[in-house]
Amino acid sequence: MQKKSIPSNRRQFLRTAAGAAAAFTIVPRHVLGGKGFQAPSDTVNIAAIGAGGKATSTLSNLVSENVIALCDVDDSRASESRERFPKASYDRDFRVMLEKYGDDIDAVVVTTPDHMHATAGLAAMELGKHVYIEKPLTRTIAEARMLTEMAKKNPQLVTQMGNQGASGNGIRRTQELYEAGLIGDVHTVYAWTNRPVWPQGGKVPQGSDPIPADFDWNLWLGIAEMRPHNSAYHPFSWRGYWDFGTGALGDMGCHIIDSPFYILELGYPVSAEASVAQVFSQPWNPDYHPETCPPASKIHVKFPERGDKPPVELVWTDGGILPGRPEELGVDEPMGNSDGGFLMVGTKGKLMADTYGNNPRLLPTTRMEEINVPETLARVETTHEMDWINGIKEGYQPSSHLGKAGPLTETILMGNLAVRGYAYRFPKVGGEDGEYELRGRTRLLWDGDDMRVTNVEEMNRFVSPENLRSF
């Protein structure tokens, strides 16, 4: 197959994505020594690390391809996918699956809990497999950087993060409206979500539950520190615990912040600070649960000037907390949609959109009736998952490849550093052993290139995964 260039209109859309990979040649599998399979240019052989939960909808968009291997630690939750792909092999341990079928696999879909994204994704990429990894890309900043660097070193691998709005019309229409100069220079972005919609902010589960026969608790924990099995974690509420998830911001940030992050070319932030909702089980003394994400938070992330673009402040709120209602918004008009949204504030106007970047509109919304901005950017004419597949077949990087998704994820996780710093117990200067102080809202200064908080050393412990174990 000859090398294919990215079409000019797609190039226009991708031009601001960090680390956009060049077009490349796909080598048919028979050249690499595989036996009895079609070349990727015809059909892609897919393995899924995670077959239940989110994987069911992801894989439903890949039925045109050969799903040849499924893996999940929970046999019961994997049953729907196993019925949909009865010819696919099934394992509980993804390492066993990759070892047995690695020669036959072209691409891997990763839909595990957040804490295993990097471990599974890197394992697949090290074997030369294209990867689709659910959002957020990773649980920690260092893991996101590792995946980004791996993709940069292997530009022949086609990658995609599972923030579906990146392939939607909304982000493209937002870019067209922004580049038409209708809101001027953006200096502030507000983003918000209704998450968490799971228990969050309380104690870690106490005691243990019997481990179901069709569930492997050890493999579910993976690299996380061993603890007794408790049904409070699996299958959904793990998102509220720092060892496994990334809270409300990690869950929805990639869906909501993606549009302004990409369009404004924000890059690495320079600082972040947060305030969080506290829980009081007794008067005056807030509960201290460092292992769990808070029930609500407000985060301020600042970005520097980028060429002739002014500095930008991103203000994130979750747990039902919304930014101030714009004066231009009618009393009967919603703020984003029920899941959240974002508001870009510029020197000439404001633009609001829903979750996933859907339904972008200028404020007041009557302005939309007065404008005539043509559609100049290429639209993805298929699903987010199939755009990844088409990238594998045709030789281009899709809408949320890791060169873009990695820095976006790092920014989101930088916000979580500030959240964790709010209630962190710092050793008291001059105090006795065990004495501590709370600093509350603290501005963390960030060196993105070096991946370090430069003014509060204690926060750097959360940049990389800690307390890892072999499993």
Side-chain angles (χ1 to χ4, degrees):
M1 181 184 295
Q2 293 183 339
K3 184 178 290 187
K4 293 188 177 183
S5 61
I6 299 174
S8 60
N9 53 3
R10 179 175 290 277
R11 233 184 356 256
Q12 181 184 4
F13 181 68
L14 292 174
R15 69 184 184 280
T16 55
F24 56 88
T25 300
I26 297 175
V27 180
R29 192 199 336 261
H30 71 268
V31 175
L32 300 177
K35 298 179 180 179
F37 291 92
Q38 296 171 297
S41 55
D42 299 317
T43 308
V44 177
N45 284 351
I46 297 171
I49 301 176
K54 176 58 182 163
T56 57
S57 61
T58 300
L59 292 174
S60 70
N61 287 326
L62 296 171
V63 293
S64 63
E65 307 307 305
N66 289 333
V67 177
I68 67 169
L70 298 172
C71 174
D72 203 292
V73 300
D74 188 328
D75 301 343
S76 177
R77 286 177 61 80
S79 60
E80 181 177 342
S81 293
R82 295 180 71 180
E83 291 175 5
R84 176 177 284 143
F85 305 104
K87 295 181 180 180
S89 67
Y90 179 75
D91 292 279
R92 284 185 173 179
D93 191 329
F94 74 85
R95 298 166 299 183
V96 173
M97 179 187 72
L98 292 176
E99 183 176 0
K100 288 196 297 187
Y101 307 107
D103 290 343
D104 301 329
I105 295 168
D106 299 315
V108 175
V109 175
V110 179
T111 59
T112 65
D114 299 350
H115 72 292
M116 291 299 291
H117 283 184
T119 301
L122 287 169
M125 294 176 76
E126 286 172 355
L127 292 176
K129 311 305 177 186
H130 310 290
V131 293
Y132 179 106
I133 303 175
E134 259 305 323
K135 57 78 203 165
L137 191 60
T138 60
R139 189 180 66 89
T140 67
I141 293 172
E143 291 173 317
R145 186 70 60 89
M146 289 173 66
L147 281 168
T148 304
E149 292 298 321
M150 175 70 81
K152 187 182 299 183
K153 292 176 182 177
N154 297 275
Q156 77 280 7
L157 300 183
V158 177
T159 61
Q160 182 90 301
M161 181 172 72
N163 55 326
Q164 292 77 13
S167 293
N169 291 340
I171 183 173
R172 289 153 178 80
R173 191 56 180 160
T174 299
Q175 183 172 340
E176 289 162 350
L177 295 172
Y178 168 74
E179 292 184 346
L182 297 176
I183 60 174
D185 292 325
V186 173
H187 52 79
T188 307
V189 175
Y190 297 95
W192 62 94
T193 182
N194 66 333
R195 269 51 163 193
V197 291
W198 52 83
Q200 190 165 290
K203 297 179 181 180
V204 295
Q206 303 297 307
S208 62
D209 297 331
I211 301 174
D214 58 0
F215 176 60
D216 193 313
W217 172 241
N218 179 64
L219 289 178
W220 187 91
L221 285 174
I223 62 173
E225 196 170 10
M226 177 58 74
R227 69 208 67 202
H229 169 260
N230 194 293
S231 56
Y233 293 117
H234 175 73
F236 184 66
S237 295
W238 53 264
R239 296 180 182 279
Y241 302 96
W242 291 120
D243 280 353
F244 309 118
T246 48
L249 175 57
D251 181 48
M252 293 302 290
C254 293
H255 287 315
I256 296 172
I257 296 172
D258 179 46
S259 293
F261 181 86
Y262 165 73
I263 293 168
L264 301 177
E265 304 178 71
L266 293 179
Y268 294 137
V270 293
S271 70
E273 57 190 276
S275 52
V276 307
Q278 295 179 307
V279 177
F280 288 79
S281 297
Q282 57 185 350
W284 301 110
N285 294 313
D287 295 352
Y288 178 61
H289 302 309
E291 304 92 348
T292 62
C293 310
S297 65
K298 182 180 183 182
I299 307 167
H300 296 254
V301 183
K302 292 188 176 182
F303 300 86
E305 294 180 355
R306 289 99 49 227
D308 60 352
K309 294 181 173 64
V312 171
E313 180 176 26
L314 168 66
V315 183
W316 168 270
T317 51
D318 56 47
I321 300 173
L322 301 178
R325 189 177 179 84
E327 293 181 1
E328 302 90 340
L329 195 63
V331 67
D332 59 342
E333 294 180 303
M335 283 275 290
N337 65 359
S338 59
D339 286 327
F342 70 82
L343 175 69
M344 296 168 62
V345 182
T347 54
K348 296 181 181 179
K350 300 174 182 177
L351 184 149
M352 178 179 287
D354 301 341
T355 309
Y356 306 105
N358 291 335
N359 190 27
R361 61 268 196 198
L362 300 171
L363 300 182
T365 55
T366 53
R367 288 189 68 190
M368 298 299 292
E369 303 171 3
E370 304 166 357
I371 63 170
N372 183 23
V373 177
E375 293 185 358
T376 58
L377 299 174
R379 266 48 176 179
V380 174
E381 302 295 339
T382 185
T383 66
H384 191 59
E385 295 85 356
M386 282 305 298
D387 191 38
W388 171 60
I389 293 297
N390 291 339
I392 294 171
K393 294 178 179 181
E394 299 173 21
Y396 66 83
Q397 293 291 348
S399 302
S400 195
H401 62 85
L402 299 196
K404 171 192 169 186
L408 170 62
T409 299
E410 288 190 34
T411 290
I412 286 164
L413 298 178
M414 177 59 196
N416 271 343
L417 285 187
V419 169
R420 301 194 77 165
Y422 184 86
Y424 188 83
R425 291 185 170 182
F426 294 91
K428 188 172 184 179
V429 178
E432 298 180 1
D433 289 345
E435 287 191 296
Y436 64 88
E437 61 182 6
L438 300 174
R439 300 178 187 174
R441 179 167 167 170
T442 302
R443 180 172 298 166
L444 306 181
L445 303 181
W446 181 245
D447 180 341
D449 291 331
D450 199 35
M451 285 194 304
R452 289 197 65 78
V453 176
T454 60
N455 64 326
V456 184
E457 180 60 33
E458 291 87 345
M459 290 298 98
N460 287 310
R461 63 176 292 193
F462 302 120
V463 172
S464 300
E466 56 180 353
N467 300 326
L468 302 184
R469 73 180 184 102
S470 299
F471 67 103

